[in-house]
Amino acid sequence: MPIVAAAVCPHPPLLVPELAGGAAAELDDLRAECDATLARVAAAGAQRIVLVGADAGTTTYGRPFHGSFAPWGLPLEVHIGPDGPPVPGPLPLSLLVGAWLVTRNVRAMALISDTACGVAAGATPAECAAIGERLAASATPLALLVLGDGSACHDEQAPGYADPRAEPFDATVAAALAAADPAALLALDPQLAAELQVAGRAPWQVLA
């Protein structure tokens, strides 16, 4: 199998210090963990790193990768690749944060693939698995940087308010990722994930 390594990172825009402003230090540990994880993946023997993240529809993005954090409050741009317009267009938030993480690691920058994979947020588990199988059919060893957030419904201040199902759902995901359990990831319920505003369900199932 040509997939030799994978990293799973969250993609909140506040991971970018310039967007977090005075609260940037609160995410220093998470930022450092993401950097260290990507560094390990970049050193795992892959010949290229493919970004995988949620999108409005399943889309393959080609270099140059480009996007802006302007919709989240700061016109900070990320650009990887030669000059020219992005193909087919700006990256969605998940892949934009992934590209930003890659720019922080020289080795990862050298390995970043010519394509990135946006996965429809509503894709079925079978559709996600098929995308993963296509990636695994690569002729060259590759690594995946999978971007995905858990539930946005953990408390009254959360975007989705408080939902008692959020904590056990995220705990299930954390256990499945820690155990590298593809069956548990593929068993995640798309409807429940949507109700809990989980942004990572489809990319995690591609990884599975």
Side-chain angles (χ1 to χ4, degrees):
M1 179 180 295
I3 296 179
V4 299
V8 177
C9 292
H11 59 74
L14 292 183
L15 194 63
V16 180
E18 294 89 336
L19 288 166
E26 297 178 16
L27 292 181
D28 279 349
D29 289 346
L30 176 59
R31 205 173 291 116
E33 287 291 337
C34 290
D35 289 341
T37 298
L38 181 56
R40 289 194 295 271
V41 166
Q47 293 182 18
R48 60 193 184 105
I49 295 174
V50 177
L51 305 179
V52 180
D55 200 351
T58 296
T59 306
T60 298
Y61 293 85
R63 291 177 73 172
F65 302 136
H66 182 80
S68 172
F69 287 102
W72 294 274
L74 186 72
L76 174 68
E77 297 190 352
V78 176
H79 186 91
I80 299 177
D83 293 336
V87 181
L91 297 174
L93 176 62
S94 61
L95 299 181
L96 178 60
V97 172
W100 176 81
L101 286 171
V102 167
T103 64
R104 294 164 59 87
N105 184 288
V106 173
R107 190 163 188 175
M109 277 288 285
L111 296 176
I112 188 69
S113 172
D114 286 337
T115 60
C117 182
V119 185
T124 67
E127 290 169 339
C128 294
I131 294 170
E133 289 167 0
R134 288 198 295 272
L135 290 171
S138 167
T140 59
L142 59 84
L144 303 181
L145 175 55
V146 180
L147 290 307
D149 287 344
S151 175
C153 300
H154 278 274
D155 56 46
E156 287 80 1
Q157 285 74 46
Y161 200 65
D163 190 313
R165 301 172 297 173
E167 185 172 348
F169 185 97
D170 281 356
T172 296
V173 172
L177 292 173
D181 186 345
L185 290 174
L186 285 173
L188 296 174
D189 181 357
Q191 181 60 39
L192 176 58
E195 292 173 3
L196 294 176
Q197 299 187 23
V198 175
R201 191 273 309 171
W204 297 329
Q205 291 185 325
V206 169
L207 172 61

